[in-house]
Amino acid sequence: MEVGEEWIVDAFGCEPHLLRDASCLQSIVKSILRDTSLHSLHEGYWHTFAGEGGVTGLVALQESHLAVHTYPEYRIATFSLYCCRIGCGWSWDEKLKKALGATTVTIVRVERGRLPATTSSNGMPTKMEHSREG
Amino acid sequence: MEVGEEWIVDAFGCEPHLLRDASCLQSIVKSILRDTSLHSLHEGYWHTFAGEGGVTGLVALQESHLAVHTYPEYRIATFSLYCCRIGCGWSWDEKLKKALGATTVTIVRVERGRLPATTSSNGMPTKMEHSREG
C-alpha cells in the first residue's frame, strides 16, 4: 500500500525565454491539472527570479501538489507532481517538447508512503519506474 | 552536473493527532529551514483538510521548495525538500521520531536536472541514495 505517487520530471534543452515566461509555465500547469483531473486549492504561488533567473511555481492540490522550477541558464525545467491517488500519468515527453522546445525529458515515478518490505536497516531502493525519452 | 537535489522522506507510525496539527508541522518546517540555512520566499501555503483529514503545507524557497502532506488515517507524514544546491541534508530520522513519534523513516535523494549518461531511449534509473532507518 502507498499513499500516493510522485512524478519527478526533468526537461532538458528547453527554450530559455520560455523558462522565464511565467504565463507559459502557468499554461502548462493548467493543462496538466485539466488532463489528469486534479484540482487546485488556490491560484498557486508564483515567483519570477530577477535578471536572467527562472520561475518557481507551487500549486497545492486537493490531491497533493505540483511544483515547477526553471533554470534558463541551463535550459532545464523540472516538475514534481505529487498525487495522492494512483494513475496521474501525463504525456510529459510529448507535451514538454511541444510547449518548451525540450529535446530530452526524463521521468521518474516514486511511490510515496510505501514501507519497504525489508526489515533490514540497510538501504533498499524504493520501487521506481523510470523512462527516458530523448 | 545537476541543478539540485530532492529529498523524499516518508515517516511511518506517527501520532495521528500531531499529523492534524498544522502548528506542529509548521514548527518542523521552521526547524528544517533554520538547520539547513534555506530561505522561504513567503509564509507558505497551509491547508488543513476537514474532519479526520491531514494537513498540506507548501513553502517556496529562494533555493526551491519544501512540501509536507500528512495522512493521519495511515499515521504517515511525507516531506519533499527540493534544494537547488547540494548538501541540504537534515537529521530526518532523529528529528521526525522526536517531533511526530515516527517509528520508521525512509529517505530517498534524487538528483534533479541531471541528464543520464546513456544515450539509449530505454529507462535508466536516476542515481539514488537511499537509507531506511527503523
Side-chain angles (χ1 to χ4, degrees), chain B residues 58-70:
Chain B
L58 291 181
V59 184
L61 307 176
Q62 189 73 28
E63 301 85 359
S64 292
H65 77 265
L66 174 58
V68 53
H69 302 287
T70 67

Side-chain angles (χ1 to χ4, degrees), chain A residues 34-111:
Chain A
R34 182 189 63 229
D35 296 345
T36 52
S37 300
L38 296 171
H39 308 88
S40 56
L41 288 171
H42 62 150
E43 286 299 299
Y45 175 85
W46 291 86
H47 181 82
T48 302
F49 289 89
E52 299 298 294
V55 174
T56 279
L58 292 182
V59 184
L61 307 177
Q62 189 73 30
E63 302 84 0
S64 292
H65 77 264
L66 175 58
V68 55
H69 302 287
T70 68
Y71 308 82
E73 68 275 38
Y74 298 117
R75 305 176 70 120
I76 290 172
T78 70
F79 294 80
S80 306
L81 174 59
Y82 183 134
C83 181
C84 69
R85 59 174 167 79
I86 305 303
C88 293
W90 194 60
S91 306
W92 294 101
D93 185 74
E94 172 197 344
K95 300 288 181 65
L96 295 182
K97 285 178 175 172
K98 188 171 178 183
L100 296 175
T103 54
T104 301
V105 178
T106 61
I107 305 166
V108 173
R109 177 180 174 275
V110 178
E111 292 176 339

Side-chain angles (χ1 to χ4, degrees), chain B residues 26-117:
Chain B
Q26 287 164 349
S27 174
I28 294 171
V29 163
K30 281 185 186 170
S31 297
I32 295 169
L33 300 186
R34 183 188 63 227
D35 296 346
T36 53
S37 300
L38 296 171
H39 307 88
S40 56
L41 289 170
H42 61 151
E43 286 298 299
Y45 176 85
W46 291 86
H47 180 82
T48 302
F49 288 89
E52 298 298 294
V55 174
T56 279
L58 291 181
V59 184
L61 307 176
Q62 189 73 28
E63 301 85 359
S64 292
H65 77 265
L66 174 58
V68 53
H69 302 287
T70 67
Y71 308 83
E73 68 276 37
Y74 298 117
R75 306 177 71 120
I76 290 172
T78 71
F79 294 81
S80 306
L81 173 60
Y82 183 134
C83 181
C84 69
R85 59 175 166 80
I86 306 302
C88 293
W90 194 60
S91 306
W92 294 101
D93 184 73
E94 172 197 344
K95 299 289 181 64
L96 295 181
K97 285 178 175 173
K98 188 171 177 184
L100 296 175
T103 53
T104 301
V105 178
T106 62
I107 305 166
V108 173
R109 177 180 175 275
V110 179
E111 292 177 339
R112 299 302 308 259
R114 185 184 185 91
L115 196 59

